[in-house]
Every structure is written in structure tokens, then in C-alpha cells.
Amino acid sequence: MILPALPVLFPLITIIFLLINFQRREWQPWISLTGSLLQLMLAIFILIRVKHEGILVLHTGNWLAPFGITLVMDAFSSIMILLAGIIAVSISIYSFEAIDRQRQSFFYFPMVHGLLMGVNGAFVTGDIFNLYVWFEVMLMASFVLITLGGEKKQLRGAVKYVTLNLVSSLLFLAGIGLLYGKTGTLNMADLALKLSIADNNILINTSAVLFFVAFSIKSAVFPFFFWLPASYHTPPVAITALFAGLLTKVGVYAMIRFYTLFFVQDKLFWHPLFLWIGGFTMVVGVLTAASQYDMRKILSFHIISQIGYMIMGLGIFTVAGVAGAIFYMAHNIIAKTNTFLVAGLINRVTGSYDLKSIGGLYKVRPWLAILFIIPAFGLAGIPPLSGFFGKLILISAGFSAGEYVISFVALAVGLFTLFSMVKIWNEAFWKARPENSDPFKGENGKLPVSMVLPVAFLGLLTLTMGFAVRPILDFAMDASMQLLNPGPYIEAVLGNNYLSQ
Amino acid sequence: METILAFVIGLLFAAGVYLLLRRSIVKLILGIMLLSHSINLLIFTAGGLHKGNPQFSDTVMEAGLSNSTDPLPQALILTAIVIGFGITAFFLALMYRFYQVTGTEDLDELKEGDTK
């Protein structure tokens, strides 16, 4: 069954087509869009297959697990692949106009698909060293994207971004080395099996801590987040939106995968730690956001704050908690990308991201206000939108698991998020335009359809997720159940012959 | 042999971290390189060291695999070295560009990017 390899192959083929036609500049966005659309369709197909047939496994090169590299597709991976496909399509359309010619001719589109290849690879792999390789693929593409254009502030942000991410990769690699030394295997399912029968499995905590720090840096969790607000606001907004939607979530994905599948021995240590870290991440992110006046910086700090909710779901560690984390992640990827794209639209109209110098947008562009309201209030958790249900599931899971403190923190942080979003709304749309400000650059021009379309599409998805909670939550529950009972996963990867030995 | 390597790894790691904390971006890159080498050695040592026969030779197959080193960590290191090489190349190019655009290689100059 080749299906699990296709999410990696599709972006690769797109890159090849992009490079073959590199001289035809006007074709590039269209090839990219076609590739992304195919990827989205593939993701939907995979989701249906996983729903009906359970876990799909591909042993590459016919080397059976645990010896070869295994690609595994369970419910959690297929959800993430679908989200990556949605973001790929949106960013492809948005980049038609939003990315200038010069950046497009410097390998912008091939790099976007390189990033998607790395992200998809990280979602499908069932082997920890392979995961490291996909992380590096993703990082290399993101390094190029964040420096593309070579502006001064971009290079400044990039030095921090590159250094911190490299250190995290090295720690990840050290964790792999030590874990391999202790267990003699790299396959995730085999690790789960070996660690569940080992006597002194407390010793693996050395690796577990290394992995924890590595993934925390990647997902910008509380003590390790400083690189994110220093770098994410520097590149063009389409790139920031792509990073905000996907990159940090890959770290969270890896953390959820590792700490539900095989680092489950020392629950008394890890789960309270996750709750603490999640709480601090939420609070610090949202409070630092409150002091900012650059739209992109406010939104960047909110990325951090919302990662906290996902870590909290992992820390609660019940079926409802992990399902809440998955649901929240799905909502956040869509809504977060969307808020950045809207910030790009606002910049297109006003020529600025600085809230102090813009205002009175509602008079000029009432529709833009509505497009902003949907993802922003979604993030803040206003009822019929998706964020409300994400938080509701997480907080009710917290209460029923007896974790009252973190649940109250989560509620309070929701309030502060609302405050930030209302602040952007107030400053950009509602207040009178500052008197001595320059006239808006693009006030009278029409907004390009290619930029409004993905925003509307993602907004529609946020609304749909809010109105169709039941089926999505059911699937998140399935994924969560699969994660918390790794038996079928292990059996699907290793096969009955290996287990009976 | 493991003991010596353990000390080498520790030394490389310490030197790498020290260089990371310096102000110059050149030293930062050197620090990253040293760190990545120390991690490579760590994987090499974690796989277990045996003085003995080369892998996959007939003598090993006859004598049994117990007296030979696990080849997998070496394959992992090979991959890690290649990735590390690519990243170092990128980082050097980034440093060159950074120096061209900002005219400095002092990392303390980066601070104002955070506040504004």
C-alpha cells in the first residue's frame, strides 16, 4: 500500500515541476496551486480511507519493521495532513499577489512545497530518526523562506530563528542517540513495545527530557519561546501565516505522539509538568501580547499562548483531554493562519501594521472588518465559532479530570485573548483615523481577489467547524482513543509475527 | 575507549556552548559545528564500541555478530553529518549576507529587533 508515502511525494513532484518550468515565471503560482489542490484532495481521500480501514502502514523498500523506515497513517496523522493541505491551498492562492515578483523568482514556491514536504513527512513517519530528517527538511526550507528577500530586519530575526532551531535539532539528535543506545531500536512502535516490558524504564527519562526540550523549542513553549516573537513578524505576511499555521504545530504533534506512545512510564512526573508548562505558556503569551502595537507581533505572541492549550490537553491525558487538544490544534491552524492573512489585507489597504498609525478602516472597508472578526473571535472563543468548542472540550475535560487550576487559567486566558482581539478591532477599524497620518496607500484600489479568496475560505472553515462540531469531534475522539491505546498501532506496524516471538 | 570518548564529547559540548554564548556570529557558527560534532560522537558511542572485525565480512558471519559494532549508528551519523554540512553552508551564507546588510558581526546589535 503506497498511500502513506504520497503526502511526501506530491510536494516533491510539485517541486520538480516548478524547477523544470523555472524560466516561465507566470506559470509558477499556477503549478504551485495545482500541486496544493492535488495534495488537499489526496488528504481528504486518505482521511476517508483511515476512517474506514483503520491504521495504514507502508514498509519502505519492503524492509519490515522494526528494521526499515515505516510510514504510518493513523487518525491523528491524517487530520494533520488534511490541515496541511488546507493551509497549502490557501497560501498558494494568497501568494499570487501578496509575494512580490523578486521573491517569487528566488525560489519562493519550491521552498513552500519543500516546507510542506517536511511537514507532511513528519506527520506520516513512524521512525524517530526519520522524524529528525523531516524536521531538518522542514527547517532548511523555513530558513530560506524567513531570509528570502534579505531585508535587514529579516536577517536579524533569522539569526535567532536559525540558531535556536539548530540547537533544538541537536538536542533532539542527542535524545535519539541515547534512546537507541538503551533500546536498540528506532521504530516508534517497537520502542513502545520494548519500553513497556523493560524493567528499569525510568532510565529513559534522560532521553525523554532531551526530546521534551527539543520539541518545546520547536513549538515555542513557555521558557523556550523567545525566538518566535523575534523572528516571525519579519518576513512577508504570507510566509508568517504559513509558519504560524504549520511549523510550531509540528513540534506539538511530535510531543503528543511521543508522550502518548512510548514515554508513558513516568506519568507522575510528566503530566503535572505539562500542565504547569501549558499554564505558563498561555499566561505569558497572552500578557506579552497585550503590550504590543504591531499587529503581527500581537498575533505572534498569541501563537505562543495558544500552544499552551494544546500542551494542557496533553497534560490532562484523558481521552477527552487529548481529543480537545487535537480539536483545538485543528481550529488553531486554520484560524491563526487566517488572522495573519487578514493582517496582510489590512496592510494592503493601509500600508502599515502599526495599530497606532491606522484607524477608521470600518468606514472604508466594512467587509474586511467581518473577515477579521471571524478568525479573531474564533481564537478568542466566542460561541458559535470553532475556538469556543475547542476550549469548551479542553476545559470540561480539565474539570472532569480534577485539574481545576489549569482550567480556570484557561478560562482567564480566553478573556485576555478577547481583549487583544478587541484591541486590534478597536484600533484598526473603529477608532477615528489619526489626524496627522499619511493617507492610506491602497485605499482606493481594489483588493486582489486572490488575497480575499483564501481569507474567506478559511473563515468559512472556522464557521463550519463551529456548526459541525459533532462529526469533527467524533473523529478527534477516535484519534485520541488511538493515541491513548497504542496497542492497535503497535500491532499494525510490527505485525502479528513479530509480536508473538 | 568509551571513557575517553565520553570526555571528548563533554569537552566538545562545553566548548560549543561557550562559543554559542560569545558575541561574534562567526563564533556562534563554530559553536554550532562543535556541538553537532559532539552529538555525532555521542551517537557513535551510544551504539557500543567493539574492537574487532569489520562489518559484514565472512569472519564476522561465521564468528557470530556479538564481537562487532552495530553499524546502524554509523549510518545515522553519516546522515547527520550531511545534514549538518548543509546547514553550516547555509549559516555561513547567512552570516555573509548579514554582514553585508548590517555591517556588523556583533550579536548584541540584534537586540533592538526585539523591542521595536
Side-chain angles (χ1 to χ4, degrees):
Chain A
M1 181 174 324
I2 193 173
L3 207 52
L6 291 183
V8 181
L9 287 178
F10 272 35
L12 183 65
I13 294 168
T14 315
I15 294 173
I16 293 172
F17 270 100
L18 282 167
L19 292 181
I20 291 173
N21 296 304
F22 196 65
Q23 297 301 325
R24 303 187 179 89
R25 294 287 144 74
E26 66 283 359
W27 288 19
Q28 296 271 316
W30 292 102
I31 298 172
S32 162
L33 178 61
T34 317
S36 316
L37 279 173
L38 286 174
Q39 204 183 318
L40 181 62
M41 281 191 271
L42 171 77
I44 295 171
F45 179 64
I46 287 176
L47 193 77
I48 296 168
R49 284 288 291 273
V50 169
K51 176 103 180 149
H52 289 294
E53 291 170 35
I55 298 167
L56 309 172
V57 179
L58 170 71
H59 301 290
T60 49
N62 249 346
W63 283 86
L64 289 182
F67 302 111
I69 291 169
T70 318
L71 302 180
V72 193
M73 190 74 85
D74 65 351
F76 188 28
S77 322
S78 60
I79 293 175
M80 299 305 287
I81 294 282
L82 177 65
L83 291 166
I86 291 170
I87 299 304
V89 172
S90 318
I91 296 293
S92 283
I93 301 174
Y94 198 82
S95 304
F96 270 66
E97 293 282 332
I99 299 292
D100 50 79
R101 288 277 151 216
Q102 205 199 351
R103 282 194 171 89
Q104 283 195 9
S105 63
F106 268 102
F107 299 95
Y108 170 75
F109 285 110
M111 282 304 156
V112 167
H113 284 273
L115 187 102
L116 287 168
M117 180 167 76
V119 169
N120 282 350
F123 290 152
V124 296
T125 187
D127 177 292
I128 52 175
F129 191 78
N130 200 231
L131 182 67
Y132 163 76
V133 175
W134 288 124
F135 265 35
E136 293 301 317
V137 170
M138 179 180 95
L139 280 182
M140 266 326 257
S142 73
F143 292 163
V144 177
L145 282 176
I146 209 166
T147 49
L148 202 63
E151 291 167 24
K152 201 168 176 178
K153 64 180 168 79
Q154 273 187 299
L155 293 172
R156 279 198 177 130
V159 171
K160 293 166 196 170
Y161 178 79
V162 171
T163 313
L164 261 295
N165 275 293
L166 286 184
V167 170
S168 110
S169 295
L170 290 172
L171 293 177
F172 184 21
L173 195 55
I176 292 172
L178 290 178
L179 198 58
Y180 182 76
K182 275 174 278 194
T183 59
T185 182
L186 293 167
N187 188 288
M188 290 188 196
D190 197 29
L191 271 172
L193 191 70
K194 287 210 166 118
L195 291 176
S196 65
I197 52 176
D199 311 324
N200 50 356
N201 52 28
I202 202 94
L203 280 179
I204 58 142
N205 265 348
T206 44
S207 317
V209 169
L210 282 169
F211 285 127
F212 175 70
V213 175
F215 295 148
S216 298
I217 295 175
K218 289 231 195 299
S219 52
V221 159
F222 161 59
F224 310 108
F225 64 83
F226 293 97
W227 57 270
L228 192 147
S231 59
Y232 265 28
H233 65 284
T234 55
V237 76
I239 298 175
T240 314
L242 181 63
F243 283 14
L246 285 178
L247 278 189
T248 44
K249 274 66 177 187
V250 179
V252 181
Y253 167 86
M255 211 183 299
I256 292 182
R257 176 70 76 201
F258 276 39
Y259 288 85
T260 54
L261 188 56
F262 47 86
F263 289 140
V264 287
Q265 291 78 21
D266 205 1
K267 290 195 169 101
L268 286 178
F269 174 69
W270 285 107
H271 295 163
L273 182 74
F274 283 134
L275 289 178
W276 277 101
I277 296 265
F280 274 118
T281 311
M282 282 186 243
V283 173
V284 172
V286 87
L287 288 184
T288 36
S291 67
Q292 301 292 328
Y293 271 91
D294 182 311
M295 263 185 291
R296 289 175 301 176
K297 281 212 143 183
I298 297 179
L299 295 173
S300 298
F301 277 110
H302 275 294
I303 301 174
I304 301 164
S305 162
Q306 281 137 10
I307 295 287
Y309 283 96
M310 301 163 205
I311 305 294
M312 165 190 164
L314 179 59
I316 294 170
F317 211 70
T318 57
V319 174
V322 178
I326 295 171
F327 188 92
Y328 194 85
M329 187 142 54
H331 138 75
N332 193 245
I333 289 177
I334 291 171
K336 195 82 239 177
T337 311
N338 201 2
T339 45
F340 274 104
L341 296 184
V342 179
L345 285 180
I346 295 176
N347 181 47
R348 189 83 173 192
V349 177
T350 63
S352 167
Y353 289 105
D354 186 13
L355 288 175
K356 281 176 183 156
S357 66
I358 56 182
L361 260 179
Y362 186 79
K363 271 187 196 154
V364 195
R365 292 274 197 283
W367 277 103
L368 195 55
I370 294 171
L371 287 178
F372 173 75
I373 280 282
I374 295 171
F377 279 15
L379 286 177
I382 298 290
L385 297 163
S386 57
F388 170 72
F389 294 101
K391 283 180 189 174
L392 183 71
I393 299 159
L394 273 172
I395 290 168
S396 68
F399 276 122
S400 55
E403 308 288 357
Y404 298 107
V405 180
I406 189 83
S407 308
F408 279 118
V409 170
L411 279 172
V413 168
L415 208 64
F416 279 108
T417 314
L418 183 61
F419 163 73
S420 285
M421 294 302 162
V422 170
K423 176 178 167 181
I424 299 184
W425 158 264
N426 237 350
E427 297 274 329
F429 293 100
W430 210 241
K431 82 168 183 216
R433 195 183 298 181
E435 278 178 10
N436 50 359
S437 71
D438 305 329
F440 292 160
K441 252 189 349 193
E443 189 174 338
N444 299 317
K446 280 179 78 174
L447 283 173
V449 182
S450 67
M451 284 171 80
V452 180
L453 196 67
V455 172
F457 168 62
L458 291 175
L460 206 63
L461 278 178
T462 310
L463 282 172
T464 319
M465 274 187 80
F467 287 118
V469 181
R470 199 69 235 180
I472 300 170
L473 181 63
D474 279 346
F475 199 65
M477 280 290 200
D478 285 354
S480 166
M481 232 104 79
Q482 271 183 9
L483 285 172
L484 293 182
N485 308 305
Y489 179 96
I490 298 172
E491 203 180 307
V493 174
L494 294 175
N496 288 319
N497 294 335
Y498 183 83
L499 290 177
S500 58
Q501 277 169 16
Chain B
M1 192 63 186
E2 268 100 342
T3 328
I4 301 170
L5 272 179
F7 277 108
V8 173
I9 293 165
L11 199 71
L12 278 175
F13 205 94
V17 171
Y18 177 75
L19 284 173
L20 272 188
L21 299 176
R22 306 290 296 175
R23 278 171 67 177
S24 155
I25 192 169
V26 184
K27 286 172 186 162
L28 180 84
I29 297 173
L30 286 175
I32 294 268
M33 284 165 78
L34 281 189
L35 276 181
S36 88
H37 290 317
S38 84
I39 304 285
N40 288 343
L41 271 180
L42 176 81
I43 301 176
F44 182 66
T45 320
L49 302 172
H50 292 285
K51 229 176 179 179
N53 298 308
Q55 279 301 322
F56 307 122
S57 64
D58 288 342
T59 43
V60 172
M61 291 304 171
E62 282 159 20
L65 288 167
S66 60
N67 198 28
S68 62
T69 310
D70 185 356
L72 189 67
Q74 296 172 25
L76 301 188
I77 295 167
L78 202 58
T79 316
I81 288 174
V82 175
I83 292 173
F85 175 70
I87 280 172
T88 310
F90 176 81
F91 213 156
L92 286 170
L94 176 66
M95 182 200 79
Y96 181 66
R97 190 88 177 108
F98 180 79
Y99 181 71
Q100 265 189 338
V101 172
T102 61
T104 175
E105 55 127 27
D106 188 346
L107 288 171
D108 273 12
E109 307 271 315
L110 290 176
K111 271 193 289 190
E112 67 185 84
D114 281 342
T115 47
K116 255 194 287 191

